[in-house]
Every structure is written in structure tokens, then in C-alpha cells.
């Protein structure tokens, strides 16, 4: 993992407090499972409510958790009192989103004062713990 300069010594509390306010993540059942400088992991337990017509996890749900992972990865490197929002992203769906849970990993590629570029990955994890990469994202976050 790349080492970054942390500007907010309370970045983890800041990220966790913000995530706790996300109604959509709560609605999906997503859980923030790891917070470190420049990297976030969000897990999404799979349920029938998240499926599309073929039984895969809907791309809307998977996109939301990868986008949030990227955004929170960016937030870990911002000064106190900052917020971030997405200004753009590109998502490549590589394989059907299948498994007992989805794992979204967001990582900062290049932090900036205003714009931060991130990469995200989504993995489907089966009952044995085996993972398959389902999607990749490139995202740009802006500090507010």
C-alpha cells in the first residue's frame, strides 16, 4: 500500500461518523469494515433484495458501494472539516456479482488539495472465502 500524509489525525472517526449518516448504505446493508490512510473496505452482504432479474447483485448496488469506498478513501487524506463528493467515475463490470457478500475496496491513487483520484475494486466472496473480481472503478472526488 502507498503511504500518504495524513492531515486529519482523527480521520478514522471522521469517516466512520460520516458513513453512519449514509441512509443509502444502511438501506443496502453495507458495512464499513476497514479504514486506513488512503484505503477503505466496505462489505455488502448479499440478499435477494439486491438482485436483478438474473440473480446477480444489481449493478446499482455494487456501484454505490464502490463509489462510497473511493469517496471515503479520499476523505481519509483531507484536512479536518473537509467533505468529499464524487465528480466523475467510470465503472467496468468484469463478471457477474455473485457470492454471499460483495467487498468494495477504494484506494487513493493521487491525493490533491481539491481533486483526488481513486481506484475501486469490487469482489464477490463465496461461502469458502474465495473471491472473484467483479468490477473496477476509476473515480475523481472533490473536496468541499
Amino acid at each position: 500500500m502507498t503511504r500518504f500524509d495524513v492531515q486529519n489525525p482523527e480521520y478514522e472517526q471522521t469517516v466512520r461518523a460520516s458513513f453512519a449518516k449514509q441512509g443509502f448504505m444502511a438501506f443496502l446493508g453495507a458495512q464499513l469494515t476497514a479504514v486506513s490512510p488512503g484505503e477503505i473496505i466496505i462489505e455488502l452482504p448479499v440478499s435477494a433484495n439486491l438482485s436483478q432479474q438474473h440473480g446477480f447483485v444489481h449493478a446499482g448496488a455494487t456501484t454505490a458501494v464502490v463509489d462510497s469506498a473511493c469517496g471515503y478513501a479520499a476523505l481519509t487524506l483531507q484536512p479536518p472539516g473537509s467533505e468529499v463528493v464524487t465528480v466523475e467515475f467510470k465503472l467496468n463490470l468484469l463478471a457477474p456479482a455473485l457470492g454471499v457478500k460483495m467487498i468494495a475496496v477504494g484506494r487513493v491513487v493521487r491525493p490533491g488539495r481539491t481533486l483526488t483520484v481513486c481506484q475501486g475494486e469490487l469482489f464477490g466472496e463465496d461461502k469458502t472465502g474465495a473471491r472473484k473480481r467483479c468490477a473496477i472503478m476509476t473515480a475523481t472526488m472533490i473536496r468541499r
Side-chain angles (χ1 to χ4, degrees), residues 8-125:
N8 180 358
E10 297 182 2
Y11 72 89
E12 183 171 358
Q13 297 91 323
T14 299
V15 167
R16 289 190 183 280
S18 178
F19 189 85
K21 294 178 186 176
Q22 285 233 359
F24 191 57
M25 290 294 108
F27 174 77
L28 292 175
Q31 302 159 357
L32 180 62
T33 58
V35 179
S36 58
E39 184 173 302
I40 295 291
I41 299 174
I42 297 173
E43 295 185 6
L44 178 66
V46 172
S47 71
N49 292 333
L50 301 178
S51 67
Q52 45 87 291
Q53 70 275 17
H54 301 294
F56 312 140
V57 178
H58 195 283
T62 60
T63 300
V65 294
V66 178
D67 174 46
S68 287
C70 287
Y72 283 118
L75 185 59
T76 66
L77 302 178
Q78 299 302 317
S82 298
E83 296 179 0
V84 298
V85 294
T86 305
V87 292
E88 67 84 30
F89 65 73
K90 179 186 185 325
L91 181 76
N92 291 94
L93 301 169
L94 306 174
L98 292 169
V100 295
K101 70 178 166 181
M102 299 289 112
I103 300 167
V105 181
R107 293 184 185 97
V108 171
V109 174
R110 184 191 173 279
R113 283 183 305 206
T114 305
L115 297 176
T116 297
V117 177
C118 299
Q119 287 183 325
E121 293 182 284
L122 179 80
F123 300 91
E125 185 173 286

